[in-house]
Amino acid sequence: MEMERIELPPPSPRVLPLALLELGCAGTFELLVGPPGGARGPPHRATLPLGVPPFAPSLVSELEQQLLGSPEWLPPHQHERAQRSWLRAPEPRNLFALDPTPALGGLRAQRDPKSGSLKGFTEELLPNVGLSAKNSLSLRRPPGPPQENLWGSSTTFPFWPAGLDEPSLEQLRVHGDEEEDIDFDTDLLVTPPGLKRGVEYKASVGGRGGPLSLSSLLQTLDTFDLGGAEDEAAEPPQPALEPPPAPPEEQWAVAIDTSGPVEDFERLVPDPAFKWPFKPDPFQLWAVLCLERGQSLLAAAHTSAGKTAIAEYAIALAQRHMARSIYTSPIKALSNQKFRDFRSTFGSVGLLTGDVQLHPEASCLVMTTEILRSMLYNGSDVIRDLEWVIFDEVHYINDAERGVVWEEVLIMLPEHVKLVLLSATIPNALEFAQWVGRTKRRCLRVLSTQRRPVPLQHFLYTGNGPRTRNQLFLLLDAHGALSTQGYYAAVEAKKQQSSKSGQNFGAKHPTMAPTTPGQERGMWLALLGLLQEREQLPVVAFTFSRSRCDDHAAAIGPMDLLSPTEKVRSRLFFQRCIGRLRGPDRRLPQVVAMGELLQRGVGVHHGGVLPLLKEVVEMLFSQGLVKVLFATETFAMGLNMPARTVVFDSIRKHDGSNFRDLLPGEYIQMSGRAGRRGLDPMGTVIILCRGSVPDLPDLHRMMLGRPTRLQSQFRLTYPMILNLLRAQELRVQDLLRRSYAEFPLRREQEAQARRVTELQGALSAQPRLDPGSDVGLYHEVVGELRRNRKELMRRLADSVSGLRVLVPGRVVVVSTPRHRNALGVILQVTPAPSGRTFTTLVLSEKPPEGGGEPPAPPDAPHPEELLLTRLFLPDGPCGHALEQLQAEDFGGVTTKSLRVTPETLLQELRPRHHHRDRPALGAALQELLRLAGGGAAPALLDPAGSLRDPQSLAAAARLRELSSRLGAFSCVHRPRFREEYEQFGARRALQQQLEQLQFQLSDQSLLLLPEYHQRLAVLRALGYVSEGGAVALGGRVAAGLSTHELLVTELLLGNVLAALSPEESVTLLACLVGPGGPRQPPPRITAPLEQAVQQLVAVAQRLARLQQDCGLSTSPEDVEQQLSFGLMEVVYEWARGVPFADIPRPAGVQEGTVVRCIQRLEEMCRELRQAARMVGEPALAAKMEAASTMIKRDIVFAASLYTQ
């Protein structure tokens, strides 16, 4: 088939001699120039002499033309029978077909290197044979089925995470608890299961067999003799080598100074992968340089500082390398917005959310972090092609509910994936980057900047009084300097306004009473009028209450902020957006009210607004057609919607448990929306003082305080445990060890491992003790006796009796490393948070002539010293020491008290006091010497006589028992007792250090290890995990669920949903995803649904009791609090097909809340449909499919405007 040629008209004198050359059949042409002056140009030519080659028409097009485009073949009657099908003959034998076992080895030809002639063949083992997605975590495994390429499968293993070391040979040699000893003589089966006869094994003649384990098999690897022993024996012994120097500290994060420009950037990056229409900042150029070098990075900067430019370059770089990139965001709205922005820039961009899947084959995929976590656990083959993963708003890791998802994803990413972490300003950016780098065994570059592209000025606005309605009080200038003058001027203006109001209403003492709705309306009208006069619109007013957002928007109704042209644009855009809705949905009260507000340039944005309307508001705001936007703080989460002015309705918010002031990080995030880069020279932030002016320290802490540090919110979940148990090579302990919560304890792990080696060497160098000596047991008794005595002294000091006994003048026995059984007198008692501190005068040896401390006595106590019957006496002249002691430093409290004046003694003990003029000190020392040198030691008070609590009585009884055993030891009579005791003490100290370090390096020191064992016990009790660690069918079902995993799995396996219709099934599931509301089901529900609700509550209580029995802090009351029955009637009516406008909603529940609940229900129906197919319940799968179809309609699932 030849292409049609275009007939050109006769040439005019001005026609140039040009012709077209057709290149092949791809539709590409080249321009030819003929000789000048010709009557006609050269003829048109083609590179194919016979034209375009013939081709067959598309089969799809032919079928569409014949069967769909030509209805004449359809019968005129009974057209429903026109569908044709061909039954396939069943072939049961095809089910028995098995793939051939892959060959483990192959043949390699051996050839002569000179002639190339064939000399023979050698057999060699083939690597990576038999690997599949069902048994291997390696990237070398072949890809899975095409239908599992994107999402993976619950039976597919994840890829091996970077930073996790594969099990070594030494670890395999360790005999684990689950390793089984096999006796090859008696434990082998003679008859296979299911057969009548088998093979009889005869005992070997050489001897009896014994138990053989994997450890014993691996030990044979060390006994292989590969030859060369004689040559090695003949070599002279090598001299001992010096121990290698300690390796330097591992550096997993490097901070880059971005204050200066990048020198020779054009030479370093001559051909950038992406060019912006603006001149990039040095901060962005440094990031580009790191990306070009293939380095992962963490970029921490203020809002609107240009962090998205770094993400754009990473996406472009992946496209240049013909690889893929993933952009993750914390919320679905941000994913939709970034999809539109990136698609207009790069073209090949896809979107993956819970209910939307657009262009999954694109080179850049935009998704939420939960979607990426699911792909990692399910072994999606998309991970193979990844080069960059971009985490936007990574400071969302502080979220208590979803922060764990970020840690899971960062830990589970494979080694070949590089990271781009984008975050707001955080004070511990370097520490967080060190954790990520250490976890992924990859050095991260940290780029942070405090520079704002648009400086901000912060003001206070006090009200609508005649003098202050047009006045803003400067609180913080563009350089970050706090203006106290402006603050006190605002306070004075507020006082005058309140005083005038009090006089008008006859109040004697005006107070800062809360403003009325009328006063608030006047304040907003005055403020917006002032901003309109100063041309400081658009403005975002952050209000931390949905109802207050709606009230404020309705209160400024008379104000019209749009021009006639802008009104037309706004109305046309709004009508075009809601035109996709059904007629009743267009007449919803919220839709009508929002349309009226938008016609005046006012918008509302919060969680109660319908998703479609929120997108309309966002798009109109970005076009400058919304001048005033009342929004909650979710508007500041990543959405690139800057304004010229930001207003705070209040600086206090409710965080779910109580009211508190805004944190510095929250204030910075929201105030950063002020100032449009390239449009505004200065951004304006206004704090509205509706009541009294906030205190200056609170404002200073909020505006100039340090942002919130990134803190780990890691917690164990049942899907996490089950997904890791599916792959036998991965251990939950490894994930716990690499969490951010464990990083402060594990950051010195390499140094601790080296210290363990040093301690083992020092311990082996210690001299051996006489095995017949009981000094070791004596050392243990002494240590336990001292611990019990310290516990008694501590409890005595905290008791009421201790307040009467431990007073100034009391004589005590001091037992510290510096003082052994030395008498002292208490001079002063000082209370402290950690316990009372006692200033005590203690007897000691006289200091040396040259100054300094007297030598400490040896720690080799005899029984008399431990029983406090032998007290310290100086060898020469008496010395003294003034010590600050705790109650644990007292070995005992005597019955003696000295009549001393503590103030006089403390005065004489001052350093500047003359040494010869100390009469009170001399008298006190002489009395202490007399008590210590008497024939018998002073009597001691018995702490057990005044302490009656069980712990004190048990410690006193144990102390008496240990004291009675001291006389039975023979080691105290040996000539070398002191030397042996000190040697054993030194050896014991090394052992304790070694045991402590080994404990810190082991799994037993993990913070969440006890909870892991408790949750594992719950899974085993439910039958989801076997004793050997294998995941059963119920465990695989629970691993694929996202909420209430155990409860939903038990409902599925217990056939609770079998007796319900699709409408009733989805209504029952609404109890698990609905917002907080009534704790009792509504009265108007069907009988099967009422019975199912009772079963649901019973299963929830049973699971709660099971978890409580396993040690988890979960009670039946807590589980019942998680169930919500408030939207059951709404969901039931919606599933029955009732229009959204005709469904009565509970009081206080807005349209956006209902939509969000139904969307989560649809996601749960999809999960249950997949779970039903897994357990072999096609009827339940069809029911969940029908339920999903019933609720997935109309305004609730209207397509996002960003995807159109």
Side-chain angles (χ1 to χ4, degrees), residues 726-1037:
R726 285 195 301 110
Q728 292 83 359
E729 292 86 350
L730 294 179
R731 301 190 314 140
V732 180
Q733 292 89 333
D734 294 332
L735 192 71
L736 299 179
R737 183 185 300 275
R738 284 159 178 80
S739 66
Y740 190 34
E742 294 284 343
F743 177 64
L745 305 176
R746 307 289 170 179
R747 62 190 311 171
E748 304 295 336
Q749 187 170 357
E750 289 77 9
Q752 290 175 347
R754 294 193 297 267
R755 179 60 179 164
V756 165
T757 304
E758 296 174 359
L759 289 175
Q760 289 175 344
L763 195 60
S764 61
Q766 287 288 325
R768 296 288 180 180
L769 298 176
D770 185 4
S773 176
D774 55 357
V775 66
L777 183 58
Y778 182 75
H779 189 278
E780 294 178 3
V781 170
V782 170
E784 187 177 359
L785 184 144
R786 287 175 171 174
R787 287 192 297 271
N788 281 274
R789 182 171 287 167
K790 289 182 178 181
E791 178 68 15
L792 278 176
M793 289 295 106
R794 185 185 62 80
R795 291 185 175 275
L796 177 64
D798 295 339
S799 65
V800 179
S801 301
L803 297 176
R804 299 193 303 264
V805 173
L806 297 176
V807 294
R810 176 68 65 175
V811 177
V812 294
V813 181
V814 179
S815 295
T816 63
R818 184 181 173 187
H819 305 283
R820 301 291 183 187
N821 288 10
L823 288 183
V825 58
I826 299 176
L827 301 182
Q828 189 177 15
V829 181
T830 306
S834 58
R836 293 189 295 168
T837 302
F838 302 92
T839 305
T840 310
L841 175 65
V842 188
L843 282 177
S844 66
E845 297 284 354
K846 187 176 182 180
E849 295 293 338
E853 298 286 341
D859 185 16
H862 285 76
E864 303 84 28
E865 299 174 359
L866 295 171
L867 297 176
L868 303 181
T869 57
R870 181 193 298 176
L871 300 179
F872 164 77
L873 280 175
D875 296 335
C878 174
H880 64 275
L882 189 65
E883 302 287 353
Q884 302 291 330
L885 303 177
Q886 302 293 325
E888 293 86 350
D889 298 328
F890 297 153
V893 181
T894 69
T895 59
K896 302 292 184 180
S897 295
L898 300 185
R899 293 184 179 180
V900 296
T901 306
E903 293 78 7
T904 305
L905 282 174
L906 292 174
Q907 182 72 22
E908 294 181 359
L909 287 170
R910 290 181 179 178
R912 296 183 179 180
H913 198 278
H914 198 273
H915 287 257
R916 297 181 180 180
D917 188 16
R918 295 180 175 179
L921 176 61
L925 293 178
Q926 290 296 326
E927 185 63 23
L928 291 177
L929 279 175
R930 184 186 66 80
L931 293 175
L940 301 177
L941 293 176
D942 184 11
S946 55
L947 300 176
R948 297 302 180 186
D949 57 293
Q951 294 82 2
S952 301
L953 295 178
R958 183 59 178 167
L959 182 62
R960 288 192 296 269
E961 178 187 354
L962 295 173
S963 300
S964 63
R965 295 173 53 187
L966 294 177
F969 291 97
S970 61
C971 61
V972 296
H973 306 294
R974 296 168 64 96
R976 299 178 61 249
F977 165 69
R978 175 177 296 179
E979 181 181 354
E980 292 178 353
Y981 188 89
E982 291 178 350
Q983 289 179 358
F984 185 86
R987 186 179 186 87
R988 185 58 181 162
L990 290 177
Q991 289 178 344
Q992 291 178 349
Q993 295 182 29
L994 181 60
E995 292 172 358
Q996 179 66 21
L997 289 176
Q998 289 176 340
F999 173 77
Q1000 294 176 2
L1001 294 174
S1002 67
D1003 294 339
Q1004 303 303 318
S1005 62
L1006 296 174
L1007 299 176
L1008 294 178
L1009 187 66
E1011 182 182 351
Y1012 165 62
H1013 290 307
Q1014 294 165 355
R1015 291 185 179 270
L1016 188 60
V1018 173
L1019 294 175
R1020 286 176 174 170
L1022 293 173
Y1024 296 173
V1025 177
S1026 66
E1027 292 298 328
V1031 180
L1033 179 61
R1036 296 206 306 271
V1037 171

Side-chain angles (χ1 to χ4, degrees), residues 270-344:
D271 184 20
F274 185 79
K275 295 182 179 180
W276 296 281
F278 56 88
K279 182 179 179 181
D281 296 336
F283 164 73
Q284 297 164 333
L285 294 179
W286 280 108
V288 168
L289 194 59
C290 294
L291 295 177
E292 286 285 351
R293 294 171 178 173
Q295 299 168 345
S296 299
L297 60 88
L298 167 63
H302 286 292
T303 305
S304 303
K307 298 188 292 293
T308 305
I310 304 175
E312 292 175 343
Y313 197 89
I315 296 172
L317 200 61
Q319 289 186 345
R320 168 175 288 187
H321 297 163
M322 303 185 69
R324 307 183 80 171
S325 58
I326 286 181
Y327 179 95
T328 70
S329 66
I331 55 178
K332 182 180 176 181
L334 181 58
S335 298
N336 294 335
Q337 186 192 34
K338 292 300 181 182
F339 168 74
R340 184 195 63 173
D341 298 342
F342 291 156
R343 190 180 182 188
S344 62

Side-chain angles (χ1 to χ4, degrees), residues 103-110 121-127 129:
L104 300 180
L107 297 178
R108 170 177 291 185
Q110 289 184 338
F121 295 91
T122 58
E123 186 176 3
E124 62 178 10
L125 295 177
L126 298 178
V129 175

Side-chain angles (χ1 to χ4, degrees), residues 169-182:
L169 193 61
E170 289 74 12
Q171 293 173 338
L172 292 177
R173 286 198 181 101
V174 177
H175 187 85
D177 297 336
E178 301 174 1
E179 187 176 339
E180 182 180 0
D181 290 332
I182 301 177

Side-chain angles (χ1 to χ4, degrees), residues 140-164:
R140 299 176 181 269
R141 72 191 190 196
Q147 63 271 18
E148 299 178 359
N149 178 64
L150 179 63
W151 297 105
S153 172
S154 59
T155 60
T156 302
F157 283 13
F159 292 106
W160 189 267
L164 267 69

